[in-house]
Amino acid sequence: MLFSSANAPRAASRNSLYILLPEASFETVRDGGEVYAMICAGCHQPRGEGAIGAGRYPVLAGSATLEHSAHAIEIVLAGKGAMPPFRDLLDDDQVAAVLNYARGAALGNGFSPNVEAADVRRARR
Ligand code: HEC
């Protein structure tokens, strides 16, 4: 489990995320599918099927919010409700890569056009 207060040797000072990976090694993860598996799948599930249990994690397949790329960028950067913000953990390329992965066939989507790193950079404030 990626997010757990029980295994947080490095209680992330920057945005209160608890991650197992040392930041230095996470920065080398450039592939959107890997970013998804390491961060997003814990809540949204490996195929974006979502979950209802201790919380409600939206289905990403067919998500209108995900299709609206500006909205999706905003949610990943700033978080929403029980979803933590990732603006400090992920750089522009990683946000674009994970969103393109989630917007693509791997999660049953076919949203276009692709999110570009420049779109993410503009959305940061
Ligand atoms: C700790 C659990 C958690 C993690 C990790 C997480 N999310 Fe979320 N996500 C949520 C929750 C909860 C919501 C619903 C927020 C709300 O509407 O209140 C959400 C909403 C979303 C939405 C909007 C979906 C919709 O249709 O409303 C998108 C897109 C999304 N997340 C993408 C991602 C991506 C991409 C990642 C990985 C970088 C990620 N999430 C990581 C919990 C998580």
Side-chain angles (χ1 to χ4, degrees):
M1 181 63 195
L2 210 53
F3 293 87
S4 158
S5 52
N7 55 25
R10 188 184 65 84
S13 50
R14 293 194 303 181
N15 56 11
S16 79
L17 283 179
Y18 298 128
I19 61 171
L20 288 174
L21 280 172
E23 222 162 283
S25 74
F26 190 76
E27 281 166 8
T28 67
V29 179
R30 312 312 306 175
D31 178 74
E34 278 184 57
V35 174
Y36 185 87
M38 294 168 96
I39 298 185
C40 322
C43 291
H44 293 283
Q45 304 304 299
R47 297 279 162 255
E49 58 266 49
I52 296 179
R56 181 193 154 273
Y57 305 112
V59 178
L60 295 183
S63 160
T65 307
L66 188 57
E67 180 169 22
H68 190 307
S69 59
H71 197 177
I73 291 169
E74 181 64 25
I75 288 178
V76 171
L77 291 177
K80 186 182 178 197
M83 178 168 156
F86 292 102
R87 75 160 66 75
D88 291 337
L89 184 70
L90 300 176
D91 65 23
D92 297 342
D93 289 317
Q94 287 171 314
V95 172
V98 75
L99 282 175
N100 289 331
Y101 176 83
R103 286 160 54 84
L107 301 196
N109 289 322
F111 301 143
S112 62
N114 271 357
V115 173
E116 304 294 338
D119 302 331
V120 181
R121 194 175 328 118
R122 273 192 296 275
R124 289 185 190 270
R125 20 185 134 99

